[in-house]
């Protein structure tokens, strides 16, 4: 059951309502928008429709263990609905879990399902659950797609309570950008419900069933972009209030009170972020958003994405401070360590005679005079060496206020090649959710090459096209000469940049633009050396391209960072 809740595609979610009778029409793949499914058949219409009645079609009778194309072994039936079935399966060739939709080749919607699946596969956007195969074979049509066992449905997240403003901001930002990209390629979702949105373990939202879920149900719409935008607005509304923005209950959420109409989220629940509340209304209300701001409505995902970008960025909440436990004295400090317990009626210990004073014997006196003579000789030798050095320095024509490097360049008295201590470090993810595996940062400069700090896992070497990179900010304690930064990686060749804060920076920069790029490189052991002398307190090691792991994803691993002057 846990796997079902985190599957890549589960078109069975009808929120407890009875399945639809077999009704279908043509499913569009060029931009059809989402209607509320049978789970929402009492909710307001968003412009989608089903056309034409069909006779009931029997779902293909298959069983667990059946193989498709001698490769995909069916494991568990997730859905039997409207003449098609959905399964959790195993790709025995690549040894991974996949999802499969099955329907008869003579099903009225078989052609539209194949067209939708192939169009979705061509998009190749990692923000969507990917279609892996779409085949007609042996009187069957089947669509194979990703299965994400580590992801969580938005339905389950909403059941736990309203989201924090930062999480809701990430939700609407990622969904609006993803759907805007899909509509630019002529694709719409048609069933963008809480069950169609997954959040991965890295905090990324992925949309499943693009075009395919609608084609399976024969859903079409006259205003696809408007309907998809309203669906995103409904998801944002639910994230802010834990209420469905219509009078009927759906997806485990309570609807709004009868007869009050659509009210702003900040009027439903106290403490809702005002900007996000207005954004939800702009996406939901077709004739304008809030009367107070008179902002124009968002009728397309692209308009919604631009409205999100225009908002001040909502930062993640500060981690809660927990006071350390009260200091406990050890048994040694309490005076009991190593002492035997007192025995009752024990006799008093006998006094121990004190030893004679040291070095009072004849041998001791000889030893004292010998040591004194050696000390006098050492002092004389040291004084002679100091004087000799001073004389040599007076003869040296080089300015005593400077020194020279091996290549003859003066370095203003700074000794090059000297190790520079790192006094602190933390993860740096200004282009993502603000956090990237902070617990393992110390492993990157602890002197042990067997330990490492790693990034999250991504779908491609360029961070799944979600951001330009992540990195580690190193604090040197004070402004120091940065000569060479050696970075060792595990897992394969990694591209990295060396960036430094300005020498006169009063505090650590919080944005990527606050650091200046001074060097870059690629490999497993990269030596980053600025082209000219650099002095800084804060140094950024910025990863820009990741290697592929054995599991198939992409992840960076920094095992050791060493800095020399």
């Amino acid at each position: 059951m846990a796997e079902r809740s985190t599957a890549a595609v589960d078109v069975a979610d009808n929120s407890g309502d009875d399945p639809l009778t077999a009704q279908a029409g043509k499913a569009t793949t060029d931009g059809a928008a989402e209607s509320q499914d049978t789970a929402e058949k009492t909710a307001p219409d968003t412009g989608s429709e089903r056309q034409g009645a069909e006779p009931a079609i029997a779902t293909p009778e298959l069983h667990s263990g059946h193989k498709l194309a001698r490769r995909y072994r069916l494991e568990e039936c997730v859905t039997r609905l409207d003449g098609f079935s959905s399964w959790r399966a195993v790709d025995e060739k690549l040894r991974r879990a996949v999802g499969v939709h099955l329907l008869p080749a003579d099903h009225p919607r078989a052609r539209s399902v194949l067209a939708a699946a192939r169009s979705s596969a061509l998009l190749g956007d990692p923000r969507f659950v990917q279609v892996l195969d779409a085949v007609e074979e042996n009187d069957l049509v089947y669509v194979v797609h990703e299965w994400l066992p580590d992801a969580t449905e938005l339905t389950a997240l909403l059941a736990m309570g309203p989201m924090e403003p930062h999480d809701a901001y990430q939700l609407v930002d990622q969904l609006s950008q993803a759907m805007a990209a899909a509509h630019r390629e002529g694709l719409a979702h048609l069933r963008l419900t809480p069950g169609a949105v997954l959040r991965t373990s890295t905090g990324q939202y992925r949309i499943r069933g693009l075009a395919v879920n609608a084609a399976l149900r024969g859903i079409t719409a006259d205003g696809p972009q408007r309907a998809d935008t309203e669906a995103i607005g409904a998801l944002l509304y639910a994230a802010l209030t834990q209420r469905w923005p219509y009078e009927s209950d759906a997806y485990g959420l309570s609807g709004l009170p009868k007869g009050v109409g659509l009210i702003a989220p900040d009027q439903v629940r106290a403490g809702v972020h005002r900007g996000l509340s207005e954004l939800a209304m702009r996406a939901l209300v077709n004739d304008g958003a809030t009367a107070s701001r008179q902002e124009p409505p968002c009728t397309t995902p692209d308009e919604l994405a631009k409205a999100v970008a225009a908002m001040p960025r909502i930062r993640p909440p500060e981690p809660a401070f927990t006071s350390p436990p009260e200091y406990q004295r050890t048994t040694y400090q309490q005076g009991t360590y190593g002492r035997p317990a007192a025995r009752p009626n024990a006799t008093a210990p006998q006094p121990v005679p004190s030893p004679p004073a040291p070095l009072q014997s004849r041998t001791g006196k000889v030893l004292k005079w010998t040591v004194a003579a050696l000390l006098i000789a050492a002092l004389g030798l040291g004084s002679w060496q100091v004087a000799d050095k001073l004389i040599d320095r007076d003869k040296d024509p080089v300015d005593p206020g400077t020194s020279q490097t091996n290549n003859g360049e003066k370095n203003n008295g700074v000794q090059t090649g000297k190790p520079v201590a790192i006094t602190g470090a933390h993860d740096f993810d200004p282009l993502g959710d603000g956090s990237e595996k902070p617990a393992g940062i110390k492993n990157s400069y602890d002197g042990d090459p067997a330990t490492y700090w790693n990034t999250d896992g991504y779908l491609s070497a360029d961070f799944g096209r979600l951001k330009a990179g992540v990195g580690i900010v190193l604090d040197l304690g004070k402004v120091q000469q940065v000569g060479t930064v050696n970075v060792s990686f595990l897992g394969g060749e990694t591209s990295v940049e060396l960036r430094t804060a300005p020498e006169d920076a009063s505090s650590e920069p919080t944005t990527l633009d606050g650091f200046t790029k001074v060097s870059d490189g690629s490999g497993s052991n990269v030596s980053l050396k600025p082209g000219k002398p650099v002095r800084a307190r804060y140094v950024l090691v910025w990863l820009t391209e990741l290697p592929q792991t054995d599991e198939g994803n992409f992840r960076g691993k920094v095992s050791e960072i060493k800095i020399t002057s």
Side-chain angles (χ1 to χ4, degrees), residues 268-439:
V268 175
R269 188 176 73 87
V272 172
H273 189 279
R274 179 67 181 275
L276 292 175
S277 175
E278 293 178 352
L279 194 66
M281 296 298 289
R282 292 176 64 183
L284 280 168
V285 182
N286 214 3
D287 55 355
T290 59
S292 61
R293 292 282 303 275
Q294 295 298 323
E295 296 283 359
C298 298
T299 58
T300 68
D302 188 58
E303 290 179 359
L304 183 58
K306 292 178 179 177
V308 176
M311 289 179 56
R313 183 179 177 186
I314 302 175
R315 294 189 174 276
E318 294 292 334
F321 174 76
T322 56
S323 58
E326 185 179 353
Y327 177 69
Q328 297 289 334
R329 293 171 58 115
T330 65
T331 54
Y332 176 76
Q333 292 165 323
Q334 293 169 348
T336 62
Y337 181 82
R339 296 184 183 179
R343 291 177 295 172
N345 301 324
T347 58
Q350 296 296 323
V352 178
S354 58
L359 301 180
Q360 294 301 316
S361 65
R362 183 176 179 180
T363 304
K365 291 179 180 180
V366 173
L367 182 59
K368 281 196 299 181
W369 285 111
T370 303
V371 172
L374 290 174
L375 289 175
I376 292 172
L379 287 173
L381 180 60
S383 300
W384 176 80
Q385 290 178 335
V386 171
D388 186 60
K389 290 290 184 182
L390 291 174
I391 293 172
D392 289 342
R393 189 186 67 174
D394 292 338
K395 294 179 181 179
D396 192 350
V398 180
D399 184 358
T402 63
S403 62
Q404 286 188 303
T405 59
N406 292 334
N407 58 9
E409 295 181 356
K410 297 180 179 180
N411 61 7
N412 297 323
V414 178
Q415 182 181 355
T416 60
K418 180 181 178 181
V420 177
I422 300 172
T423 62
H426 66 82
D427 57 312
F428 189 69
D429 186 22
L431 307 180
D433 59 4
S435 178
E436 191 88 5
K437 303 292 187 184

Side-chain angles (χ1 to χ4, degrees), residues 472-496:
I472 302 174
V473 174
L474 307 167
D475 185 357
L476 308 185
K478 62 181 180 180
V479 175
Q480 300 195 54
Q481 179 88 9
V482 179
T484 304
V485 177
N486 294 303
V487 186
S488 299
F489 297 99
L490 299 177
E493 185 170 305
T494 306
S495 296
V496 62

Side-chain angles (χ1 to χ4, degrees), residues 70-85:
R70 298 182 180 180
R71 174 176 179 177
Y72 304 111
R73 186 180 73 249
L74 304 181
E75 293 285 321
E76 178 188 6
C77 183
V78 177
T79 305
R80 288 189 186 276
L81 176 69
D82 238 5
F84 68 88
S85 61

Side-chain angles (χ1 to χ4, degrees), residues 24-29 54 103 107-119 141 143 211-212 214-220:
K26 294 182 293 181
T28 62
T29 61
E54 301 171 355
L103 66 166
H107 194 288
R109 297 195 290 271
R111 304 274 76 76
S112 60
V113 169
L114 278 174
R118 289 166 180 171
S119 298
V141 168
V143 177
V212 175
L216 285 167
R217 289 165 171 77
I219 301 173
T220 61

